[in-house]
Each structure stands twice: as structure tokens, then as C-alpha cells.
């Protein structure tokens, strides 16, 4: 069975954006969350243009290589300029979760308006045995609530942002995590957890 995981660059106080993210503004006032993608000398084997430190490249490419489909929340989709009509991943189809119509969705993208379970089921089918990556704090939280997440990865950047979009939103229950790996790297610490069941 393919896995469902979420890997985000996150501040130590739990934000995945700064203030005022949006279309054309990226992560708002916190572009430093993504500095480690470009600050190294090891090119990613999956994402063109990414140059990471050696330890980060190993972690990043291992995760990226597992992805067969992506489920992104509507906010991530809109704030990322709709991924130019394509996908955030070079080899994986994008599924956008929303409760609203999206007339602008392209034929290379799929809109799901019937909930997180349907979005993940459709993504799993498209992934053909590979894994499903979740993007967006709202989508991750909905999937945790539905007990559909296997792994949570925090690429923790040493900054306190004070405000922004939260990685984890309000949950109606506790979710226990088991640490699989913790890797300190230049400008980021990679924390890889499995969801305990
Ligand atoms: N730092 C990183 O690594 C990283 C990674 C990914 C994204 N981001 C950033 O994070 C921000 C987005 O995160 P976010 O938490 O604000 O939003 P999000 O999870 O991307 O999107 C939330 C939206 O998704 C839809 N949604 C969520 N749960 C749903 C459910 N159960 N059923 C139906 N629809 C559901 C709703 O859309 P509707 O309102 O249309 O109903 C909701 O408003 C963006 O700015 C993005 O650029 C950062």
C-alpha cells in the first residue's frame, strides 16, 4: 500500500509561511524557509535548479523520489500561482482540494470538492503504487483528522516567525508520532516522524 506523507519547511514556532503569503508573493515575508533548497553545492536529482547541502540533498531527493501524486489545499494552489497549470512535482499529478469550483483548473490538474478521503483516494490511484504527498497545513490537518497520514516530515528552519499559516491547525484528538530520523544540516534540521497507530 502506498504511503501518505507531508513534508514542509517550517519555522521553529510552527509556521509554513510568513505574513501575507499569496499569488505573486510566495511565502510572504518568510522566503528564508526555502533558503536551504538553494544554499548548497549538491544539485537535486529530482528538481531542476535546486542545490542543497549534501545531507539535505539525500533527505530531499529520497522523499521527492517516492512521490507519485500530490494533494494540495486550495490556498497552496492559489498562493503558488496555480503552479502555472502544472504540478509542484516534476513527475506527479496534482490534486487540488477545495469546497469551491475552480474554473481555471487545467487539464493537467484535478479538482476534488468532495473531501479529503476522496482526494487521497484519487491521488493514490494516480500514483500507481507510489506515495502521496500532502501540501498545505489545512490539508495535512484534515488528513490527520481522517487518520490518513502515515508520515510527517518537518524541515525545521531555525527562525521564529511569529505569524503566518500554521503547519498544524486545531485537531479534535491527540496524534502520537514516532521519530524515525533527525538530521541536522546547514540551515535546516530534518525531522522525520511516523504516525503511531
Ligand atoms: N513551507 C512549505 O514547505 C509549504 C508547503 C506547502 C504550502 N505552503 C504554503 O502554505 C500556505 C497554504 O497553507 P494553508 O494551511 O493556508 O492552506 P491549504 O491547506 O493549502 O488549503 C486550505 C484550503 O484547502 C481546502 N480544504 C482543506 N481541507 C479541506 C477539506 N477537508 N475538504 C475540502 N476542502 C478542504 C479549503 O479550500 P476552500 O477554502 O476552497 O474550500 C481550505 O481553505 C500557502 O501559502 C502555501 O504557499 C508552504
Amino acid at each position: 500500500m502506498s504511503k501518505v506523507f507531508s513534508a514542509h519547511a517550517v519555522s521553529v514556532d510552527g509556521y509554513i509561511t510568513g505574513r501575507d503569503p499569496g499569488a505573486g508573493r510566495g511565502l510572504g515575508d518568510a522566503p528564508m524557509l526555502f533558503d536551504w533548497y538553494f544554499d548548497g553545492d549538491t544539485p537535486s536529482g529530482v528538481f531542476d535548479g535546486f542545490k542543497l547541502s549534501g545531507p539535505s540533498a539525500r533527505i530531499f531527493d529520497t522523499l521527492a523520489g517516492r512521490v507519485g501524486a500530490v494533494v494540495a489545499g486550495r490556498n497552496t494552489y492559489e498562493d503558488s500561482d496555480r503552479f502555472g497549470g502544472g504540478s509542484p512535482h516534476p513527475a506527479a499529478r496534482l490534486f487540488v482540494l477545495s469546497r469551491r469550483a475552480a474554473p481555471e483548473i487545467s487539464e493537467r490538474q484535478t479538482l476534488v470538492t468532495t473531501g479529503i478521503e476522496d482526494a487521497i483516494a484519487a491521488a493514490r490511484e494516480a500514483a500507481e503504487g507510489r506515495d502521496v504527498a500532502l501540501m498545505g497545513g489545512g490539508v495535512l490537518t484534515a488528513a490527520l483528522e481522517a487518520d490518513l497520514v502515515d508520515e510527517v516530515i518537518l524541515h525545521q528552519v531555525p527562525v521564529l516567525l511569529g505569524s503566518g499559516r500554521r503547519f498544524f491547525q486545531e485537531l479534535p484528538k491527540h496524534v502520537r508520532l514516532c521519530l524515525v530520523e533527525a538530521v541536522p544540516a546547514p540551515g535546516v534540521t530534518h525531522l522525520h516522524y511516523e504516525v503511531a497507530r
Side-chain angles (χ1 to χ4, degrees), residues 35-44 47-53 57:
D35 281 355
W36 60 277
Y37 288 153
F38 308 106
D39 275 357
D41 52 14
T42 309
S44 166
F47 279 73
D48 279 350
F50 283 45
K51 284 187 99 179
L52 308 101
S53 69

Side-chain angles (χ1 to χ4, degrees), residues 133-182:
L134 307 176
M135 289 184 73
V139 158
L140 169 62
T141 305
L144 284 168
E145 197 170 336
D147 203 17
L148 288 171
V149 183
D150 298 298
E151 298 168 37
V152 178
I153 295 100
L154 284 77
H155 304 298
Q156 194 185 69
V157 176
V159 60
L160 300 171
L161 292 175
S163 184
R165 302 276 176 81
R166 291 197 164 279
F167 191 26
F168 302 102
Q169 300 170 8
E170 191 173 324
L171 276 171
K173 59 181 180 182
H174 295 169
V175 176
R176 296 194 70 86
L177 304 173
C178 299
L179 184 65
V180 176
E181 191 179 29

Side-chain angles (χ1 to χ4, degrees), residues 32-162:
M32 78 288 276
L33 287 177
F34 287 168
D35 281 355
W36 60 277
Y37 288 153
F38 308 106
D39 275 357
D41 52 14
T42 309
S44 166
V46 182
F47 279 73
D48 279 350
F50 283 45
K51 284 187 99 179
L52 308 101
S53 69
S56 287
R58 177 180 70 79
I59 303 277
F60 181 80
D61 278 359
T62 299
L63 291 169
R66 291 171 46 184
V67 177
V70 176
V71 177
R74 184 67 177 266
N75 293 350
T76 295
Y77 175 68
E78 298 296 346
D79 292 359
S80 307
D81 302 289
R82 298 173 183 160
F83 297 106
S87 170
H89 189 285
R93 188 173 181 91
L94 173 65
F95 294 78
V96 180
L97 181 64
S98 179
R99 298 181 185 84
R100 300 171 283 139
E104 71 290 344
I105 203 113
S106 89
E107 64 198 18
R108 292 183 290 140
Q109 305 168 330
T110 303
L111 177 70
V112 180
T113 58
T114 50
I116 188 71
E117 291 87 352
D118 285 350
I120 288 178
R124 267 196 210 281
E125 195 173 332
E128 295 182 332
R130 301 185 79 77
D131 293 340
V132 173
L134 307 176
M135 289 184 73
V139 158
L140 169 62
T141 305
L144 284 168
E145 197 170 336
D147 203 17
L148 288 171
V149 183
D150 298 298
E151 298 168 37
V152 178
I153 295 100
L154 284 77
H155 304 298
Q156 194 185 69
V157 176
V159 60
L160 300 171
L161 292 175

